[in-house]
Amino acid sequence: MKNLLVIGYVWPEPTSSAAGSRMLQLLNFFLNEKYTITFATTTAQSQHAFDLEKIGVKTAKIELNNASFDDFLKKIDPEIVLFDRFMIEEQYGWRVDAICPEAIKILDTEDLHFLRNTRKKALNTEAELQDLMLNSDLAKREIASIYRCDLSLIISEVEMELLRSIFKIPAKIIEYLPYLLETEEIEKAEVSVSFGERQDFMFIGNFLHEPNWQTTLHLKQKIWPKIKQKLPEAKLHIYGAYASDKVYQLQNKKEGFLVHGRAESVDEVMQKHRILLAPIQFGAGLKGKMIDAMQNGIPSITTAIGAEGISEENHWNGFICSSDAEIVEKAIQIYTDKNLWIAKQALGKAILKSRFSAEDFTTSFQQKLIDLKTNLSKHRSKNFTGSMLKFHNNRSTYFMSKFIEEKEKNKSNEYNTRT
């Protein structure tokens, strides 16, 4: 029996975020490889969490800084442990090393958190992005986590190149694994709603994710007023899970700026509207909304950051713009030109087929796992930096965790004595 333990940052919510969809793609890959999967997390299960047990994945609630996880790990005895983001590896990696030293440790980065963070800082400073990255505490933590794992999954070719060229990460410990789309997911674009049946503009994004809030604010203040002036009958619809009061306060029906909150079906809302407006100013990884747009036949207007890792400027299902003025110009042009809209829509399916077809990546990933299982000791022996970081991290994290664990025990004992 092949056992896989996935330690999740949160419960997967594919209707709320691209990260949730990504996790489901990975789970389906391992299910197809005949793994028995347990998904464990410390977080409470929300009403929008995907029913993992419905697809045959076992679930478990675990605690942080608690020796009960060690017993849990011994019981499962996983062949592979998959960490959902580097923060999870920091918390549990040392316990896996101690209890299951032969388990293959895989980190799914989702995107490079330090890249998103430093890009945000770069918006408000004259400092060079590379200098910010090299001096980032977050970068040091995330890169260290990549070294400590046997393999890290990188979702964007841009991030692969950054890790190799700037941080000199060995190729053998990182694997390019973007979104994995099945044929039927790519073919959806062929049956999407026509130009004449669609109306208005839209934006969508989980509002727990800071770039989505900043994009919405930018649309409200800089982009939409200029489009509305030229297209007075048009509206901009804002969708997204976990919208706070500050998001809803942006709504202005007179201006045609409408905030709807969560969309239970991304497909449904995308096939109602004509253009996705996504002037994303900072971020990392792949933007799931862009992939969704291509699947649902809705052209998009975005920035180089929004299109990063998906396709190039001359091959996009809409336009990649470098200024607010260009965004406004191209948005109006494609909204009113049916032939241009149809031509750009057709590019979406071509991009998905050439860049994200699951069959193009699963074979390589399968072989990588076979090589790791066969040559794990040799693989690790060539990663001295990882061994060194693991040694120091495991000692420091061990003592910190034990300190917290004992502190919590003392609190509990004091409470029981008083009661």
Side-chain angles (χ1 to χ4, degrees):
M1 188 72 73
K2 300 189 294 184
N3 291 323
L4 166 70
L5 171 63
V6 180
I7 309 178
Y9 181 68
V10 292
W11 292 96
E13 291 187 21
T15 62
S16 301
S17 70
S21 297
R22 161 69 164 189
M23 178 53 70
L24 282 185
Q25 290 172 3
L26 292 177
L27 293 175
N28 283 322
F29 168 83
F30 283 105
L31 286 171
N32 290 334
E33 293 297 302
K34 308 303 180 186
Y35 277 83
T36 297
I37 305 175
T38 302
F39 184 94
T41 180
T42 61
T43 59
Q45 191 166 2
S46 78
Q47 66 181 98
H48 302 292
F50 186 84
D51 185 356
L52 293 176
E53 295 188 356
K54 187 170 67 174
I55 61 172
V57 174
K58 301 175 184 178
T59 61
K61 185 79 183 295
I62 54 176
E63 293 186 53
L64 192 60
N65 299 310
N66 195 303
S68 62
F69 179 79
D70 299 349
D71 297 328
F72 171 74
L73 199 56
K74 289 175 186 175
K75 185 178 179 181
I76 294 176
D77 190 24
E79 182 178 282
I80 298 176
V81 177
L82 175 68
F83 302 102
D84 175 22
R85 287 164 260 205
F86 81 93
M87 302 83 81
I88 296 300
E89 186 278 332
E90 286 182 328
Q91 295 291 342
Y92 292 99
W94 68 275
R95 290 186 183 273
V96 173
D97 290 334
I99 305 300
C100 300
E102 298 305 311
I104 296 169
K105 294 167 60 181
I106 299 178
L107 171 64
D108 183 37
T109 57
E110 293 287 355
D111 60 35
L112 293 179
H113 293 64
F114 73 83
L115 179 59
R116 180 180 353 120
N117 181 266
T118 52
R119 278 175 168 168
K120 180 182 178 182
K121 290 180 178 179
L123 290 175
N124 304 309
T125 178
E126 295 182 359
E128 292 291 330
L129 178 63
Q130 183 167 324
D131 291 339
L132 289 172
M133 287 191 292
L134 292 173
N135 288 286
S136 164
D137 289 346
L138 198 60
K140 293 166 188 172
R141 289 171 57 196
E142 194 162 12
I143 296 297
S145 182
I146 288 172
Y147 267 109
R148 286 193 297 266
C149 289
D150 298 307
L151 188 67
S152 291
L153 307 180
I154 312 301
I155 205 167
S156 163
E157 288 173 321
V158 172
E159 295 183 1
M160 283 287 287
E161 179 57 29
L162 183 149
L163 291 173
R164 286 190 296 241
S165 62
I166 295 180
F167 293 95
K168 311 302 180 186
I169 304 294
K172 66 180 180 293
I173 65 171
I174 51 177
E175 175 84 353
Y176 173 54
L177 195 72
Y179 290 133
L180 306 173
L181 301 181
E182 301 298 336
T183 301
E184 59 270 21
E185 295 177 288
I186 296 172
E187 299 292 341
K188 278 199 311 183
E190 289 188 351
V191 294
S192 63
V193 178
S194 67
F195 175 88
E197 296 174 282
R198 297 171 181 255
Q199 61 181 356
D200 298 336
F201 297 82
M202 67 167 289
F203 174 73
I204 190 167
N206 185 324
F207 284 103
L208 295 179
H209 193 53
E210 178 68 11
N212 289 324
W213 159 246
Q214 293 296 335
T215 299
T216 302
L217 201 58
H218 191 65
L219 283 167
K220 171 74 173 182
Q221 297 174 342
K222 303 293 185 181
I223 304 296
W224 183 243
K226 295 176 182 178
I227 294 176
K228 183 67 172 174
Q229 188 177 17
K230 298 291 186 180
L231 299 172
E233 299 303 315
K235 298 179 179 66
L236 173 58
H237 302 264
I238 306 296
Y239 300 92
Y242 302 106
S244 62
D245 288 343
K246 69 180 181 180
V247 180
Y248 283 106
Q249 285 170 6
L250 296 180
Q251 175 159 292
N252 188 313
K253 292 183 179 180
K254 185 178 178 181
E255 296 173 357
F257 195 95
L258 307 176
V259 180
H260 301 281
R262 174 183 291 276
E264 293 303 326
S265 170
V266 173
D267 295 348
E268 184 178 317
V269 298
M270 282 196 162
Q271 296 212 21
K272 288 197 317 187
H273 302 305
R274 194 176 292 175
I275 303 293
L276 173 69
L277 275 180
I280 298 167
Q281 299 170 290
F282 66 94
L286 301 182
K287 313 306 176 292
K289 59 179 67 63
M290 303 304 178
I291 304 296
D292 290 332
M294 292 177 187
Q295 288 179 281
N296 285 286
I298 177 172
S300 62
I301 309 293
T302 190
T303 60
I305 295 291
E308 185 176 87
I310 299 176
S311 193
E312 301 298 332
E313 185 173 359
N314 60 352
H315 194 62
W316 188 253
N317 72 322
F319 292 100
I320 302 170
C321 303
S322 57
S323 69
D324 290 351
E326 188 182 8
I327 290 168
V328 171
E329 175 194 347
K330 296 301 184 183
I332 294 170
Q333 181 185 3
I334 197 170
Y335 188 83
T336 56
D337 187 333
K338 179 179 178 180
N339 292 332
L340 176 62
W341 187 92
I342 291 172
K344 289 295 187 180
Q345 182 196 53
L347 281 175
K349 180 187 172 183
I351 292 169
L352 295 180
K353 190 173 183 179
S354 65
R355 300 278 294 162
F356 302 109
S357 181
E359 61 186 23
D360 292 341
F361 300 98
T362 51
T363 300
S364 172
F365 189 32
Q366 287 166 342
Q367 187 58 52
K368 193 77 173 185
L369 293 177
I370 291 170
D371 292 344
L372 282 172
K373 292 175 190 175
T374 307
N375 304 295
L376 188 59
S377 295
K378 184 178 180 181
H379 176 83
R380 289 176 173 173
S381 70
K382 294 184 177 181
N383 182 14
F384 177 79
T385 300
S387 298
M388 177 181 64
L389 290 169
K390 192 184 296 185
F391 173 80
H392 289 291
N393 179 77
N394 288 1
R395 298 309 296 164
S396 61
T397 310
Y398 169 83
F399 287 116
M400 177 58 72
S401 181
K402 288 298 181 184
F403 169 75
I404 295 172
E405 192 175 329
E406 289 302 316
K407 189 176 179 181
E408 292 302 314
K409 284 181 183 177
N410 290 336
K411 281 184 182 178
S412 179
N413 290 337
E414 289 175 10
Y415 175 80
N416 292 332
T417 301
R418 290 197 301 270
T419 57

Short mmCIF file of all heavy atoms in Angstrom, two decimals, residues 360-396:
data_model
loop_
_atom_site.label_atom_id
_atom_site.label_comp_id
_atom_site.label_asym_id
_atom_site.label_seq_id
_atom_site.Cartn_x
_atom_site.Cartn_y
_atom_site.Cartn_z
N ASP A 360 1.01 16.32 -20.67
CA ASP A 360 2.36 16.80 -20.99
C ASP A 360 3.28 16.85 -19.78
O ASP A 360 4.50 16.97 -19.93
CB ASP A 360 2.28 18.21 -21.60
CG ASP A 360 1.62 18.22 -22.98
OD1 ASP A 360 1.55 17.15 -23.60
OD2 ASP A 360 1.18 19.30 -23.40
N PHE A 361 2.72 16.76 -18.59
CA PHE A 361 3.52 16.93 -17.37
C PHE A 361 3.49 15.72 -16.43
O PHE A 361 4.42 15.53 -15.65
CB PHE A 361 3.07 18.18 -16.62
CG PHE A 361 3.20 19.44 -17.41
CD1 PHE A 361 2.12 19.99 -18.06
CD2 PHE A 361 4.43 20.07 -17.52
CE1 PHE A 361 2.24 21.15 -18.82
CE2 PHE A 361 4.57 21.23 -18.27
CZ PHE A 361 3.47 21.76 -18.92
N THR A 362 2.42 14.94 -16.47
CA THR A 362 2.29 13.86 -15.50
C THR A 362 3.34 12.77 -15.68
O THR A 362 3.84 12.21 -14.70
CB THR A 362 0.88 13.25 -15.55
OG1 THR A 362 0.55 12.90 -16.90
CG2 THR A 362 -0.16 14.22 -15.03
N THR A 363 3.71 12.48 -16.92
CA THR A 363 4.71 11.43 -17.16
C THR A 363 6.05 11.81 -16.54
O THR A 363 6.72 10.98 -15.90
CB THR A 363 4.89 11.18 -18.67
OG1 THR A 363 3.63 10.77 -19.23
CG2 THR A 363 5.92 10.09 -18.92
N SER A 364 6.44 13.06 -16.73
CA SER A 364 7.71 13.54 -16.16
C SER A 364 7.68 13.49 -14.63
O SER A 364 8.66 13.08 -13.99
CB SER A 364 7.97 14.97 -16.63
OG SER A 364 9.07 15.53 -15.96
N PHE A 365 6.55 13.87 -14.06
CA PHE A 365 6.42 13.85 -12.59
C PHE A 365 6.43 12.42 -12.07
O PHE A 365 7.06 12.13 -11.04
CB PHE A 365 5.14 14.58 -12.20
CG PHE A 365 4.99 14.81 -10.71
CD1 PHE A 365 6.09 15.02 -9.90
CD2 PHE A 365 3.73 14.81 -10.13
CE1 PHE A 365 5.95 15.24 -8.53
CE2 PHE A 365 3.57 15.02 -8.77
CZ PHE A 365 4.68 15.24 -7.97
N GLN A 366 5.77 11.53 -12.77
CA GLN A 366 5.78 10.12 -12.39
C GLN A 366 7.21 9.58 -12.35
O GLN A 366 7.61 8.89 -11.41
CB GLN A 366 4.94 9.30 -13.38
CG GLN A 366 3.46 9.48 -13.27
CD GLN A 366 2.71 8.93 -14.48
OE1 GLN A 366 3.30 8.70 -15.55
NE2 GLN A 366 1.42 8.71 -14.34
N GLN A 367 7.98 9.91 -13.38
CA GLN A 367 9.36 9.42 -13.46
C GLN A 367 10.21 10.02 -12.35
O GLN A 367 11.08 9.34 -11.78
CB GLN A 367 9.96 9.77 -14.83
CG GLN A 367 11.33 9.15 -15.08
CD GLN A 367 11.32 7.63 -14.96
OE1 GLN A 367 10.50 6.96 -15.59
NE2 GLN A 367 12.22 7.09 -14.14
N LYS A 368 9.95 11.28 -12.02
CA LYS A 368 10.70 11.93 -10.95
C LYS A 368 10.47 11.21 -9.62
O LYS A 368 11.40 10.99 -8.84
CB LYS A 368 10.25 13.39 -10.82
CG LYS A 368 11.15 14.26 -9.97
CD LYS A 368 12.41 14.64 -10.70
CE LYS A 368 13.24 15.64 -9.94
NZ LYS A 368 14.41 16.10 -10.70
N LEU A 369 9.22 10.82 -9.35
CA LEU A 369 8.90 10.10 -8.12
C LEU A 369 9.58 8.74 -8.09
O LEU A 369 10.09 8.30 -7.05
CB LEU A 369 7.39 9.95 -7.98
CG LEU A 369 6.60 11.24 -7.77
CD1 LEU A 369 5.10 10.95 -7.73
CD2 LEU A 369 7.03 11.96 -6.51
N ILE A 370 9.60 8.05 -9.23
CA ILE A 370 10.27 6.74 -9.32
C ILE A 370 11.76 6.89 -9.03
O ILE A 370 12.35 6.10 -8.27
CB ILE A 370 10.05 6.11 -10.71
CG1 ILE A 370 8.58 5.72 -10.89
CG2 ILE A 370 10.96 4.89 -10.90
CD1 ILE A 370 8.23 5.31 -12.32
N ASP A 371 12.36 7.91 -9.61
CA ASP A 371 13.80 8.14 -9.38
C ASP A 371 14.09 8.44 -7.91
O ASP A 371 15.09 7.97 -7.35
CB ASP A 371 14.28 9.32 -10.24
CG ASP A 371 14.27 9.00 -11.73
OD1 ASP A 371 14.19 7.81 -12.07
OD2 ASP A 371 14.31 9.94 -12.54
N LEU A 372 13.22 9.22 -7.27
CA LEU A 372 13.41 9.54 -5.86
C LEU A 372 13.30 8.29 -4.99
O LEU A 372 14.11 8.09 -4.08
CB LEU A 372 12.38 10.58 -5.41
CG LEU A 372 12.65 12.03 -5.81
CD1 LEU A 372 11.47 12.91 -5.46
CD2 LEU A 372 13.91 12.56 -5.12
N LYS A 373 12.30 7.47 -5.26
CA LYS A 373 12.13 6.24 -4.48
C LYS A 373 13.33 5.32 -4.64
O LYS A 373 13.79 4.68 -3.68
CB LYS A 373 10.86 5.51 -4.95
CG LYS A 373 9.56 6.22 -4.62
CD LYS A 373 8.40 5.46 -5.24
CE LYS A 373 7.11 6.27 -5.15
NZ LYS A 373 5.99 5.60 -5.84
N THR A 374 13.86 5.26 -5.84
CA THR A 374 14.96 4.33 -6.15
C THR A 374 16.30 4.83 -5.62
O THR A 374 17.15 4.04 -5.19
CB THR A 374 15.05 4.11 -7.68
OG1 THR A 374 13.78 3.73 -8.18
CG2 THR A 374 16.08 3.03 -8.01
N ASN A 375 16.49 6.15 -5.66
CA ASN A 375 17.82 6.70 -5.35
C ASN A 375 17.75 7.81 -4.30
O ASN A 375 18.46 8.81 -4.40
CB ASN A 375 18.44 7.28 -6.63
CG ASN A 375 18.53 6.26 -7.75
OD1 ASN A 375 19.26 5.28 -7.64
ND2 ASN A 375 17.79 6.50 -8.83
N LEU A 376 16.92 7.63 -3.28
CA LEU A 376 16.71 8.70 -2.31
C LEU A 376 17.98 9.07 -1.56
O LEU A 376 18.30 10.25 -1.39
CB LEU A 376 15.61 8.32 -1.31
CG LEU A 376 15.16 9.43 -0.36
CD1 LEU A 376 14.64 10.63 -1.15
CD2 LEU A 376 14.09 8.92 0.60
N SER A 377 18.73 8.07 -1.11
CA SER A 377 19.96 8.34 -0.36
C SER A 377 20.97 9.11 -1.21
O SER A 377 21.59 10.08 -0.75
CB SER A 377 20.59 7.03 0.13
OG SER A 377 19.75 6.40 1.05
N LYS A 378 21.14 8.68 -2.45
CA LYS A 378 22.07 9.35 -3.36
C LYS A 378 21.60 10.77 -3.65
O LYS A 378 22.40 11.71 -3.69
CB LYS A 378 22.18 8.55 -4.66
CG LYS A 378 23.19 9.10 -5.64
CD LYS A 378 23.29 8.22 -6.87
CE LYS A 378 24.30 8.78 -7.87
NZ LYS A 378 24.38 7.93 -9.09
N HIS A 379 20.29 10.93 -3.85
CA HIS A 379 19.70 12.24 -4.11
C HIS A 379 19.99 13.20 -2.96
O HIS A 379 20.41 14.34 -3.17
CB HIS A 379 18.19 12.08 -4.31
CG HIS A 379 17.44 13.36 -4.48
ND1 HIS A 379 17.35 14.01 -5.71
CD2 HIS A 379 16.76 14.14 -3.60
CE1 HIS A 379 16.62 15.11 -5.57
NE2 HIS A 379 16.25 15.22 -4.30
N ARG A 380 19.80 12.72 -1.74
CA ARG A 380 20.04 13.57 -0.57
C ARG A 380 21.51 13.86 -0.34
O ARG A 380 21.88 14.94 0.13
CB ARG A 380 19.42 12.92 0.67
CG ARG A 380 17.90 12.95 0.67
CD ARG A 380 17.29 12.22 1.84
NE ARG A 380 15.84 12.41 1.90
CZ ARG A 380 15.04 11.77 2.74
NH1 ARG A 380 15.55 10.89 3.62
NH2 ARG A 380 13.74 12.01 2.72
N SER A 381 22.36 12.90 -0.69
CA SER A 381 23.80 13.09 -0.46
C SER A 381 24.37 14.22 -1.32
O SER A 381 25.42 14.78 -1.00
CB SER A 381 24.55 11.78 -0.75
OG SER A 381 24.54 11.50 -2.15
N LYS A 382 23.67 14.54 -2.42
CA LYS A 382 24.13 15.61 -3.30
C LYS A 382 23.54 16.97 -2.94
O LYS A 382 23.74 17.95 -3.65
CB LYS A 382 23.79 15.26 -4.75
CG LYS A 382 24.56 14.05 -5.28
CD LYS A 382 24.26 13.79 -6.74
CE LYS A 382 25.08 12.63 -7.26
NZ LYS A 382 24.82 12.38 -8.71
N ASN A 383 22.82 17.00 -1.83
CA ASN A 383 22.20 18.25 -1.38
C ASN A 383 22.73 18.59 0.02
O ASN A 383 22.00 18.56 1.00
CB ASN A 383 20.67 18.10 -1.38
CG ASN A 383 19.94 19.37 -0.96
OD1 ASN A 383 20.53 20.46 -0.91
ND2 ASN A 383 18.66 19.24 -0.66
N PHE A 384 24.03 18.92 0.08
CA PHE A 384 24.63 19.21 1.37
C PHE A 384 24.00 20.43 2.02
O PHE A 384 23.79 20.47 3.24
CB PHE A 384 26.14 19.43 1.23
CG PHE A 384 26.80 19.82 2.52
CD1 PHE A 384 27.09 18.85 3.48
CD2 PHE A 384 27.10 21.15 2.81
CE1 PHE A 384 27.68 19.21 4.69
CE2 PHE A 384 27.67 21.51 4.02
CZ PHE A 384 27.97 20.53 4.96
N THR A 385 23.70 21.44 1.22
CA THR A 385 23.08 22.65 1.77
C THR A 385 21.78 22.30 2.46
O THR A 385 21.48 22.80 3.56
CB THR A 385 22.82 23.68 0.66
OG1 THR A 385 24.07 24.03 0.04
CG2 THR A 385 22.17 24.94 1.23
N GLY A 386 20.98 21.43 1.83
CA GLY A 386 19.73 20.99 2.44
C GLY A 386 19.95 20.26 3.75
O GLY A 386 19.23 20.49 4.73
N SER A 387 20.95 19.38 3.78
CA SER A 387 21.27 18.64 5.01
C SER A 387 21.69 19.59 6.12
O SER A 387 21.30 19.43 7.28
CB SER A 387 22.38 17.63 4.73
OG SER A 387 21.96 16.68 3.77
N MET A 388 22.49 20.58 5.77
CA MET A 388 22.96 21.55 6.76
C MET A 388 21.79 22.36 7.32
O MET A 388 21.66 22.53 8.54
CB MET A 388 23.98 22.49 6.10
CG MET A 388 24.50 23.60 7.00
SD MET A 388 25.67 24.66 6.14
CE MET A 388 24.62 25.37 4.86
N LEU A 389 20.95 22.86 6.42
CA LEU A 389 19.79 23.64 6.86
C LEU A 389 18.83 22.79 7.68
O LEU A 389 18.24 23.27 8.66
CB LEU A 389 19.07 24.23 5.65
CG LEU A 389 19.83 25.34 4.90
CD1 LEU A 389 19.14 25.64 3.58
CD2 LEU A 389 19.92 26.59 5.75
N LYS A 390 18.69 21.54 7.29
CA LYS A 390 17.81 20.63 8.02
C LYS A 390 18.34 20.41 9.44
O LYS A 390 17.58 20.42 10.41
CB LYS A 390 17.72 19.30 7.28
CG LYS A 390 16.64 18.37 7.76
CD LYS A 390 16.68 17.02 7.03
CE LYS A 390 16.41 17.17 5.56
NZ LYS A 390 16.35 15.83 4.89
N PHE A 391 19.65 20.24 9.55
CA PHE A 391 20.27 20.01 10.86
C PHE A 391 20.00 21.18 11.81
O PHE A 391 19.52 20.99 12.93
CB PHE A 391 21.77 19.81 10.69
CG PHE A 391 22.52 19.73 11.99
CD1 PHE A 391 22.56 18.56 12.74
CD2 PHE A 391 23.18 20.85 12.49
CE1 PHE A 391 23.24 18.51 13.94
CE2 PHE A 391 23.86 20.80 13.70
CZ PHE A 391 23.89 19.62 14.42
N HIS A 392 20.28 22.39 11.35
CA HIS A 392 20.12 23.55 12.22
C HIS A 392 18.65 23.86 12.48
O HIS A 392 18.27 24.19 13.61
CB HIS A 392 20.83 24.76 11.60
CG HIS A 392 22.32 24.67 11.64
ND1 HIS A 392 23.04 24.75 12.82
CD2 HIS A 392 23.23 24.45 10.67
CE1 HIS A 392 24.32 24.62 12.57
NE2 HIS A 392 24.47 24.44 11.26
N ASN A 393 17.83 23.76 11.45
CA ASN A 393 16.40 24.05 11.63
C ASN A 393 15.75 23.04 12.56
O ASN A 393 14.95 23.41 13.43
CB ASN A 393 15.68 24.04 10.28
CG ASN A 393 14.19 24.31 10.41
OD1 ASN A 393 13.77 25.44 10.60
ND2 ASN A 393 13.38 23.26 10.29
N ASN A 394 16.08 21.76 12.37
CA ASN A 394 15.46 20.73 13.18
C ASN A 394 15.78 20.90 14.66
O ASN A 394 14.93 20.68 15.51
CB ASN A 394 15.89 19.34 12.69
CG ASN A 394 15.25 18.97 11.37
OD1 ASN A 394 14.49 19.75 10.79
ND2 ASN A 394 15.55 17.78 10.87
N ARG A 395 16.99 21.32 14.96
CA ARG A 395 17.35 21.50 16.36
C ARG A 395 16.61 22.71 16.95
O ARG A 395 16.01 22.63 18.01
CB ARG A 395 18.86 21.70 16.51
CG ARG A 395 19.70 20.54 16.05
CD ARG A 395 19.25 19.22 16.66
NE ARG A 395 19.41 19.19 18.10
CZ ARG A 395 18.83 18.31 18.90
NH1 ARG A 395 18.01 17.40 18.39
NH2 ARG A 395 19.04 18.35 20.21
N SER A 396 16.65 23.83 16.23
CA SER A 396 16.02 25.04 16.76
C SER A 396 14.50 24.89 16.84
O SER A 396 13.88 25.29 17.83
CB SER A 396 16.37 26.25 15.89
OG SER A 396 15.90 26.08 14.57
#
